[in-house]
Amino acid sequence: MLKMDVGQFYTIFDSCFPILKNEWEKLESLGISAEQSGKRIVDVDCEGNLDVDCKGTIDVDCKGILNDLLDTDIKDLNAEILACLFWRLLKAFIAIAPADLSPDMKEKWLSTLQDLFLFTCHSKDAFSKHLKYLFMKCKNPLSRIMLKLLTEEGVPDTVQIETLRSLSHICSQLDESSTLQLLENFPSILVPLSSDNQNIRLAAMSCIEELSPLWSRISKNGKSGVSLHFLGEMLFLIMQQKKMILSDKNILASFFTSLLSSSSESLLVQQAIGKRFNESTKKDILNFMLDHALGLPAHSKLKILSLIKGAGSKLMSSGVESLLNDLLENRRQHYLKDGKLCPKLSQSEVDILCLLLEICTKANSSDEARDFGKFIVEALRLNGAEETTVLEPCMTILRNLSSSIYGSMKPETQELIFRNLLILYRCPNGGIQNSSRDTVLRISLNCSIVEKILDPIVDPNTCSVASAHGKKQKRSVKNQDRNQCDDATQGRENPLLFLSAFLDVLLMKKDIVNRTSLVGPLFKLLRLTFENEEWMLKAHKASSGSSQSVSDFTAHIQQTLLLTLEDICVSIGNDIAHKNVGHKYDLQLLVDHACSSDDVVTSNYAFSLITALVKIVPDEVCARTSDILTTMGKSTVTQLDSQSQRVFEGLISAIIPCWLSRTNDNDTDKLLQIFVEVLPQVAEHRGLSIIQHILRTLGEAESLGSLLFLLFQSLISRQSELSLLNKQWEYEFAVLLSEQYSCTIWLRSLILVLKKIGTSIQDKFKQMQVAMQFVADKLRDPEISYKLQLKEDMHDIQNMVGELMEQVVYHLQLVNSNKKHSLKENIRAVLRTLTKGLPPSTYFNVIKELINHGDSDMKKKALGLLSETVKDLGTGAKLKKKGSVSSIRSSWQQLDEVSLKSYKKLCSSINKLLDDAQEDISSTSLELAAVSALEVLANRFPSHDEVYSKCLKSVCKRICSDNSALSSHCLRATGALVNALGPKALEELPSLMKCVLEKFPAETNKTVDSAIGSSSSVDSLFMSVLLTLEAVVNKLAGFLNPYLTRILQLVVLHPLSFSSSDPKLKLKADVVRKLITEKIPVRLLLQPVLDMYPKSIGLGESSVSVVFEMLGNLVSSMDRASISVYHAKVFGLCLEALDLRHQNLDSIQNIDVVEQNVINVVVTLTMKLTGSTFRLLLIKTIEWSDSNVEGDESAPGKSDSRAISFYSLVNKLAESQTSLFVPYFKDLLDGCVRGLDDAGETKTALTQKKKKAKLNDTTTDKDGALSIQVWHRRALILSALHKCFLYDSGSSKLLDYSEFEDLRKALVSQLVVDPPVSLKNHPNVPSVEEVDDSLVACIGQMAVTAGSDLFWKPLNHEVLMQTRSEKIRARVLGLRIVKYLVEKLKEEYLVLLPETIRFLDEVLEDSELPVKSLAQDIVREIETMSGESIRQYL
């Protein structure tokens, strides 16, 4: 290979190198030994000579490989062979020296050298000797290749690091020419020094450290050159910042900023660095850096420009400007579709473009700003492109363009930039659009620039927006600059979008210098949009691709124009210097088109502009006030939105005061009448705002009443029949309007309305009806109460309320005289409503004044109103229902000091009224009203004791009045006052009880005996007595011992106390009786109650029941000591009362009711007794129940009556005591067996005992069935036994075997006994169904309680035998019992199953469907329980 020529070598190299490289990469992936791969490679000396003879080298390599062929791993052997081949290839490449090569082959040689260098760098460990050999033989060309690799984009980080290390290694070995070339290319090393990779920065810093000695060596030889005189110092400064540069990549840029700029605010680098060089040297450094950077690839160029961009506009040398111009040209040609193809910009080039444009926006002088203007204009061009390459330069300008730079540019350039900003303002890209808006707001615009854009649009010679902005016109010299501006934006404008953006900017930019000069042109443009439809159609047609309609564009432009003009007017305000533009305002245009416009928003903006014009041209506005109001009225009919409302309110607020200041008409009623007439055509909320302002101008307090009167007149004139007033528009509007004002205003207005109605001649009562309805509605407003609670305008409000009440009462008298009953009720409702929202103090003061009025009718009305109001407002629920606020509610719940003082004065006035009353009919009605008011007040405010003492004395004097109504009310009032006073009422107790206990019975007897007596008056009087007694017992119970007997006679023996005809009376009497038992001690009350029993018997069962109800309450309240003392008395009376059944008295019609109450007393008593005491009483009761049977054989039926009473008691005891009563049941078993057996004689053929044979005639009726009493007794016994068995859950069972057998026979025998024939005539006696249920449950539960098959088998057998009875009822009951046993015993019943199956087999063949069906149910139940079918046994 060494003897090959260049062509042969490259032929072999191009063929072999890719293959060898690929094979090596495969070996690397498998893992090779770097030592083994270089084993056969001989080393070179410092001059690049071989240590051995070259001729023997290849032989040594080949023999060594052959010798180790069998002993070496094949992978290592392959690596060794490849390394040798690369070594030979490298030597052959070096042998082809570039000195005698042609330029093309020389370039090829350098490219091959770069490939070999990159390959050896990539596998440095395996090819270290190869790399060393390259350094020795090709260090000069390698240095240039290394510098090139440092500036190229996409070189791997490892290669860059190795390149920098290699460059550092060969620096000292280069000749002077190569060294100087390396120093001249120093900016290339800054590229890796600014890398993001810290290792690359470290390698680059090491290279710079190697360059510093080279610079010293070159400078000593005097060959450094003038252009690099600063390099040594700069290298020293960079090395001085080594640690910071290596730690942060941004330090290097800050370093050059401090180094090159005159002032730096960086906190990262020392400020003194910038002072190391003078301005000339800094300029040399900057030129050195720029000259080198411009020759580098885009990536490196961007790196270096980014490092030195801190120098600002100094960077913009001719070369840099040329670069910027080329980049913009390439951007325009490639992306903006101008027809000429150009390469696409790389991202690095785009970044360079953005960096240079950013520098352009930071020009240091006006001259620089003028020079850079063309670049800024070009960068703002988009032409609809959406590529990032186009958008980023534009965004850079938009972000960085400042007002100062913009102002330093030529006017033509400013206009071009402004035009482009307007185009970008409607760009589809949101980021561009927002940034352009921010830029427009940031820069300062001069009015002349705006006029240059606006003038062609409004020029009469310009037919449309399109021709002014889209098509080329013939150009004159005068318009040359403008036409240049048109060319700068040619083809990029959508005319309507451009105009829309232009107007939006005018609206936003409030700081345009001399903006008022735009008023005239803007009004011309506004007239064009309103009147020249062809102009807008042409503009829209020129705006190709527009998605909006012509009307939408027109509306937007009109609205923006109106808003802009309004803003200018507002900014002028009262500035006299700018009011000379008034003649430019086309007010008539606004008035004409404000109503004619179909767009609501446009009309609103026109009205807003007219509002603003009031301050500028008030005379012109006033001259057209009627036209404006007419236009406004027409608009208000159709425009109902809230924005329209605010606009028109503003217009009225401005125009009406102006009009009033220039008119002499003071007839406010006539003015109000005009607006009342047009109100029906105006939307309600619009009319409200208009009327509100008029009233505010005229004075609400004086004019609101007049307006309400006019509204009511209008309503009456339209409606002949005043129905559904609140649905009429006049009424609704009056309510809505009054809600806008404080109560101090509308209260005065209501008074004025009522006064006007009082003096009115026509339709007085109709006006009164409307006004009263309105007053009633308004008085529900809680504002009065709020203000009075806060003590705001308290005196004025009280006076107005009082005056209003006087007016209402005056109208009531007018109505009474004309007998207008419906209107009378309305006025009375107003009087009630008038007082409901007032705080207590105010209300009491107003009522007191009315009570002191000279007219007795006024007094009665005031007292009646007081009673109604206190009742309604007496509870929180009422207050909430009426809509009052919580503060009013709390003030009525507890009176404060001010209210209490007013309340005492009110009570004193009422008491004085009673004391001064005369004995006549009118006085009696007044007294009645006063007493009723005191009752209501005492019930509502019971805690104020002091004021009631005098009132109680005055009321007690009238209790014995001959007038029963007055007496009744006095009793009620007395009760209320006693409740309020408590023990302090003791002084009046004797006289009070005398009237109640003596006069009332006489009064009731007189009324009942009288032919004209009224039972309703007696009931009312008795209810009043009960209410009084309730209060007396509740508050003075400890002082009633002398009156107890007579009180009990009244509440126990009086027929009205227990009459069912009036449930309310009975309920109140029950309350009083219960209260008596609760409040009066047992030791005082028990004997009087017991004494009532004999007297109550003659009055019937209700009276007796009442006695025992009271006795039961007494027993419930007794403690243990009282029970031990009084239980014998109570029990004795109860036992005596239980005998009423067999006494069969005529006065007792319903013995069950009495008996139930007696039993309840006994049960209550027994619950408080000890076990021993209870057993004694139980035995006594058993003896009592049997006593007649043993002692009076001539009347044996009485024993059944006593037995019924006795077993009723037993049932109740079992229910109340449950398991506690079971042990006592042993004493009852014999009686139960006898009670069940003695009836069996009627239907059985068994032998009877002789003793029971005597009873045969009494136990059956004439048909041979059981008597009603025996049936009743048996039913109670069955029920009692069932409860006993149900509660028998203890370990010791109630029944032993013998007792079980006795009871079994008695119970089973009941299955075949027939019920009485007349049973249906006795509803209080248990029915057949009830007895059957009790019988089944009793027998079944007895078996469950027994808990042994020893008991079950005979019972089951005997029950099954009943299924063979001839009676259907017996068979059904037997099967029901069997089913009960199956359900309750479950698996335990299986022992009884064999016998049961035999009987079931028979019953299943029964002809009666109920019997057969029941048997089938039992079979299914057994099968379910056992889990197998028993039908095979049937």
Side-chain angles (χ1 to χ4, degrees), residues 805-823:
M805 289 185 72
E806 288 185 9
Q807 288 294 324
V808 173
V809 173
Y810 169 73
H811 284 75
L812 182 60
Q813 291 174 345
L814 291 177
V815 171
N816 287 335
S817 62
N818 287 272
K819 298 181 180 181
K820 300 285 185 179
H821 298 292
S822 60
L823 185 55

Side-chain angles (χ1 to χ4, degrees), residues 530 589-599 603 631 635 639:
F530 275 126
L589 174 70
L590 298 176
V591 175
D592 293 341
H593 292 281
C595 183
S596 62
S597 176
D598 295 332
D599 189 80
S603 297
T631 302
S635 300
Q639 298 175 9

Side-chain angles (χ1 to χ4, degrees), residues 1082-1083 1086 1118-1131 1165 1169:
V1082 176
R1083 60 183 177 82
L1086 180 60
M1118 288 182 183
D1119 55 13
R1120 182 174 297 180
S1122 300
I1123 287 293
S1124 63
V1125 174
Y1126 302 116
H1127 75 275
K1129 282 186 177 182
V1130 175
F1131 184 76
L1165 179 65
L1169 297 175

Side-chain angles (χ1 to χ4, degrees), residues 1057-1076:
S1057 66
F1058 50 80
S1059 173
S1060 59
S1061 60
D1062 192 343
K1064 292 183 179 180
L1065 275 178
K1066 186 178 183 304
L1067 181 61
K1068 179 55 68 175
D1070 290 340
V1071 171
V1072 174
R1073 286 190 290 265
K1074 185 172 178 58
L1075 190 63
I1076 290 173

Side-chain angles (χ1 to χ4, degrees), residues 1201-1326:
S1201 299
R1202 283 195 170 184
I1204 291 171
S1205 301
F1206 172 71
Y1207 285 111
S1208 296
L1209 174 63
V1210 171
N1211 270 277
K1212 282 294 182 182
L1213 289 174
E1215 287 179 7
S1216 61
Q1217 298 185 15
T1218 61
S1219 60
L1220 296 176
F1221 188 70
V1222 173
Y1224 301 103
F1225 220 91
K1226 280 186 173 293
D1227 299 330
L1228 306 176
L1229 288 176
D1230 291 340
C1232 290
V1233 172
R1234 290 198 307 271
L1236 294 172
D1237 284 346
D1238 60 4
E1241 300 176 356
T1242 60
K1243 295 298 177 181
T1244 63
L1246 298 176
T1247 303
Q1248 303 292 326
K1249 293 182 180 180
K1250 293 181 179 182
K1251 183 177 181 180
K1252 290 187 177 180
K1254 300 176 181 180
L1255 301 175
N1256 189 44
D1257 294 337
T1258 63
T1259 57
T1260 60
D1261 55 19
K1262 60 183 180 180
D1263 297 325
L1266 288 179
S1267 67
I1268 292 298
Q1269 287 187 333
V1270 174
W1271 176 266
H1272 194 178
R1273 180 190 65 193
R1274 289 176 57 217
L1276 293 173
I1277 292 173
L1278 291 173
S1279 177
L1281 286 171
H1282 172 247
K1283 291 183 177 66
C1284 175
F1285 296 144
L1286 187 64
Y1287 301 137
D1288 185 12
S1289 58
S1291 58
S1292 59
K1293 298 297 182 179
L1294 173 66
L1295 301 177
D1296 57 19
Y1297 185 77
S1298 62
E1299 292 170 339
F1300 183 87
E1301 284 297 306
D1302 292 340
L1303 198 55
R1304 172 181 61 79
K1305 295 177 182 178
L1307 289 173
V1308 174
S1309 66
Q1310 309 306 310
L1311 297 177
V1312 295
V1313 176
D1314 293 330
V1317 177
S1318 61
L1319 182 61
K1320 293 183 179 180
N1321 298 329
H1322 298 80
N1324 295 330
V1325 178

Side-chain angles (χ1 to χ4, degrees), residues 1009-1283:
D1009 295 338
S1010 174
I1012 58 172
S1014 174
S1015 60
S1016 61
S1017 63
V1018 175
D1019 292 348
S1020 176
L1021 188 60
F1022 188 65
M1023 177 61 79
S1024 301
V1025 171
L1026 291 176
L1027 289 170
T1028 305
L1029 287 176
E1030 181 183 9
V1032 170
V1033 173
N1034 189 32
K1035 298 297 181 180
L1036 303 173
F1039 308 98
L1040 295 179
N1041 191 34
Y1043 316 107
L1044 275 180
T1045 300
R1046 300 183 66 182
I1047 291 174
L1048 290 176
Q1049 290 176 351
L1050 193 60
V1051 299
V1052 174
L1053 303 181
H1054 196 284
L1056 291 178
S1057 66
F1058 50 80
S1059 173
S1060 59
S1061 60
D1062 192 343
K1064 292 183 179 180
L1065 275 178
K1066 186 178 183 304
L1067 181 61
K1068 179 55 68 175
D1070 290 340
V1071 171
V1072 174
R1073 286 190 290 265
K1074 185 172 178 58
L1075 190 63
I1076 290 173
T1077 59
E1078 291 174 352
K1079 294 292 185 178
I1080 299 177
V1082 176
R1083 60 183 177 82
L1084 300 177
L1085 184 60
L1086 180 60
Q1087 191 57 48
V1089 172
L1090 295 177
D1091 293 341
M1092 292 297 109
Y1093 172 69
K1095 302 175 182 179
S1096 65
I1097 293 175
L1099 298 174
E1101 64 271 9
S1102 297
S1103 183
V1104 178
S1105 297
V1106 165
V1107 172
F1108 281 95
E1109 284 176 4
M1110 291 190 69
L1111 187 59
N1113 292 333
L1114 270 178
V1115 172
S1116 299
S1117 64
M1118 288 182 183
D1119 55 13
R1120 182 174 297 180
S1122 300
I1123 287 293
S1124 63
V1125 174
Y1126 302 116
H1127 75 275
K1129 282 186 177 182
V1130 175
F1131 184 76
L1133 182 65
C1134 292
L1135 207 58
E1136 181 182 350
L1138 285 176
D1139 211 30
L1140 289 174
R1141 179 180 286 275
H1142 83 268
Q1143 292 178 12
N1144 197 18
L1145 300 176
D1146 294 336
S1147 60
I1148 307 298
Q1149 298 297 322
N1150 191 347
I1151 188 61
D1152 293 318
V1153 175
V1154 176
E1155 194 172 84
Q1156 189 63 40
N1157 284 283
V1158 176
I1159 289 173
N1160 289 338
V1161 175
V1162 175
V1163 171
T1164 305
L1165 179 65
T1166 56
M1167 296 299 291
K1168 292 178 174 286
L1169 297 175
T1170 61
S1172 58
T1173 306
F1174 173 68
R1175 180 175 288 278
L1176 291 174
L1177 295 181
L1178 180 61
I1179 293 172
K1180 186 177 180 180
T1181 307
I1182 295 172
E1183 294 174 352
W1184 167 82
S1185 66
D1186 294 335
S1187 60
N1188 278 348
V1189 176
E1190 299 294 336
D1192 192 5
E1193 295 183 358
S1194 62
K1198 293 187 177 180
S1199 63
D1200 290 329
S1201 299
R1202 283 195 170 184
I1204 291 171
S1205 301
F1206 172 71
Y1207 285 111
S1208 296
L1209 174 63
V1210 171
N1211 270 277
K1212 282 294 182 182
L1213 289 174
E1215 287 179 7
S1216 61
Q1217 298 185 15
T1218 61
S1219 60
L1220 296 176
F1221 188 70
V1222 173
Y1224 301 103
F1225 220 91
K1226 280 186 173 293
D1227 299 330
L1228 306 176
L1229 288 176
D1230 291 340
C1232 290
V1233 172
R1234 290 198 307 271
L1236 294 172
D1237 284 346
D1238 60 4
E1241 300 176 356
T1242 60
K1243 295 298 177 181
T1244 63
L1246 298 176
T1247 303
Q1248 303 292 326
K1249 293 182 180 180
K1250 293 181 179 182
K1251 183 177 181 180
K1252 290 187 177 180
K1254 300 176 181 180
L1255 301 175
N1256 189 44
D1257 294 337
T1258 63
T1259 57
T1260 60
D1261 55 19
K1262 60 183 180 180
D1263 297 325
L1266 288 179
S1267 67
I1268 292 298
Q1269 287 187 333
V1270 174
W1271 176 266
H1272 194 178
R1273 180 190 65 193
R1274 289 176 57 217
L1276 293 173
I1277 292 173
L1278 291 173
S1279 177
L1281 286 171
H1282 172 247
K1283 291 183 177 66

